[in-house]
Each structure stands twice: as structure tokens, then as C-alpha cells.
Amino acid sequence: MKCLRVRRLNSSILFIGIIAIAVFVAFVLTGCQKKKLAAPGATVSGTYFDTLITITAYDNTPQDVLDGAIDRCAAYEKIFSKTDESSELYAINHRMGGNVEGNTYSIEVSDDMYEVLSCAVKYAKDTELAFNPALGSVISLWDYHSEHPTVPSQTAIDEALKVTDPFVIEISEDGSHTISMPMDGTQLDLGGIAKGYIADELKKYLVKNGCSEAVIMLGGNVYCMGNKNNQGYSVGIQKPFESIGTYVHVLSVKDDSVVTSGIYERYFEENGHIYHHIIDGTTGYPVDNDLASVTVVCSNSMKADILSTALLCMGSEKALEYARRESLVKVILITRDGEFIETNPER
Ligand code: ADP
Ligand code: MG
């Protein structure tokens, strides 16, 4: 009897073992099917932040990794979009959620928001407000998206300018990721920094998932990862106000980010005057100096994004002075007269 029970037990163990192996084999097979590799040069794309975003991988990256990268852009839009009513930035700008005590609103923000805001305020100080993440109230007056954009009234600009001090934003340093700001009309606009941050984060995500040869493009923000399997990357510098793809210069880039800000990217004309999308925080009007575009090459795309906007606001003289102080790989200035100025031309 005893012997019989052992034999029955053995056959049950065998049966369970066979099922377990079958389940394992099925799991491995479906897993392998999911890991479909994209052909080198495969591109995924999507439109976020009103910008066409494309990611092209030059190594055999699994397709689901590339798809995951584009999905992340949708998630970042839910954080940094100023217009999406369900975004984190929208909640901050409308003082939703969080706590209000007296005239102070405070809210615990996401890690992404915390990192971007901390960096934005740091560079607002460092660039003496050439880069100002609190210009939201003024920028909203310049509606480049409307069918018939118009120059805002001086009264509206003067009112909006009263609430553009980025240093009213208090950022906790106790690890709680809490930010505080007044219950007034101060509005954040992260359009000059978010795409750089996202490029850096997408790069980290791709590297973590085994992809090291790729190009991430978010409009004027380009991240060249690796060296295109030793073929090298070429990035063209757009000639201002000419048709897209007309270049004044072509850069050879390896493992770096190239970010351009230009007055020709978004603008409207009224009475022969060009009103573009980069705002001088002292006047509330589009920046009016000798520069038409600034390109910054730097391994940190968020820094390149901030500085391409900031240097454009500074004008060529101050911009070159600033570029000399910073450890930037290269800065290219194109003036409104068509002059081409390049730092570190040997690189
Ligand atoms: P793009 O968004 O076209 O790539 P930029 O990186 O130069 O160009 O950012 C311009 C955007 O940054 C504007 O659309 C606006 O949202 C915001 N912005 C405009 N002027 C400033 C400024 N002086 N400081 C910080 N952000 C700005
Ligand atoms: Mg920028």
C-alpha cells in the first residue's frame, strides 16, 4: 500500500513537472515573439508639444523599446503641457490640488517636474533672467496658434509683466519635492526647457534598454546617441527664414545633443514687423536684437535647450561672453544680417 502511494505521488509530480515545462516553454516563446527587433534605421514618431517627435534607432533595438519611447512622450505631455487641462503644469498654473495657506499655494510635484523647475530657476539666476520660466502670463498673450494672431495691447503686456518673477517660486530642498508660489497670476511656461529634459530622459531610457545608436528629434532639439555605427551623424543648421532643409552649415556630431532656437520657427507678421515666439522678459515683446538663431552643442540636452533660448535673448556680444564661461562643446550664432559665428570651430 505504502509503495503504491509513493508511485502515485511520483506520477503526480511528473504530471505537474510536464505542465510547468509546457507553461515555461509557452512563456519563453511568446516572450520571444514580443521582442521583435526593429530593422536598423527604423523610426517611430508622434506629435506632442505641437512638435513632430521622431526616434530612429541604428542598432537592432526591440520594436517594443522604440514604441515605449514614443509612449513616454505622451506621458511627458501630461506633465509639461501648458494647455492640456489634465497636465501637472496646468494644475500648478491654476493653483489646483495642493494646499493654500494665506496667499501661498504649495503642492508636491513629480520627480520630473521637480528636476525641470529646479534647473529652470537655477538658470534664470545664472542667465540674469534671459531665460525666465515664469513668463507664462506674457507668453499667453502672444497667441501664435490662432488663425489671426495680433499684437497684444500695451496695457495687457504691462499687467502680465507684473507677475513674471521666477524667484517667487520656492522649491523645497528637504527631499519632499514641494513647490510653493503666490496665489497671484504668476504662470510657468516650460516650453524652452521641457523638450531638452525629455530628450535626456529618452536617451537614458534607450540606453537602459540596450539601444546606444539612435537619433532622438524633438523639433529643434536633436540628440545623437553613439556614432551611427561608426558612420557618423550630420546635423544641418537651418538657414533662418529659408525653406526647411536649407542649411548654412552641417555639423558632424557624435554622442551629443544639438539644440537650435530661432526667431524664424514660430512667428507672425504685422505691418512688416516679425513677431516671433522668444520673449524678452523686460519688455514683454519678442526679443529684438542682432541674432536670428542660436545653436548649442552639449551632452546635456536640457542645458542646451535652456541656453539656446537664453543666448538668443542676450544678443551676440553677451551670448559669446556667456558661452566662453560655460563648458559647452560649441555655440553657433547666426545674426539677422546672415553672419555666421562659431565657438570651437575645430570641433
Ligand atoms: P522651441 O520651443 O521652438 O524649440 P525654444 O527652445 O527657444 O524654441 O523655446 C521657446 C519657447 O520657450 C517659447 O515657445 C516659450 O514657450 C518659451 N519662452 C519664450 N521666451 C522665453 C524666455 N525668455 N525664457 C524662457 N522661456 C521662454
Ligand atoms: Mg530652448
Side-chain angles (χ1 to χ4, degrees), residues 143-150 267-269:
D143 189 5
Y144 304 91
H145 300 289
S146 96
E147 229 176 282
H148 303 289
T150 49
Y267 67 91
F268 66 90
E269 275 183 78

Side-chain angles (χ1 to χ4, degrees), residues 294-331:
V294 174
T295 300
V296 174
V297 185
C298 173
S299 62
N300 182 324
S301 195
M302 173 157 65
K303 184 170 168 182
D305 197 4
I306 294 170
L307 294 184
S308 62
T309 308
L311 268 53
L312 189 81
C313 292
M314 290 179 191
S316 65
E317 209 180 304
K318 267 187 126 182
L320 284 172
E321 224 171 82
Y322 189 94
R324 262 179 233 124
R325 279 197 280 127
E326 283 284 325
S327 53
L328 301 168
V329 173
K330 190 189 278 293
V331 172

Side-chain angles (χ1 to χ4, degrees), residues 88 91-92 94-101 104-109 178-180 183:
E88 187 175 358
I92 295 171
H94 293 81
R95 312 296 191 266
M96 286 151 55
N99 292 310
V100 179
E101 256 184 66
T104 305
Y105 161 85
S106 58
I107 186 165
E108 200 175 311
V109 296
T178 302
I179 63 148
S180 311
M183 288 293 291

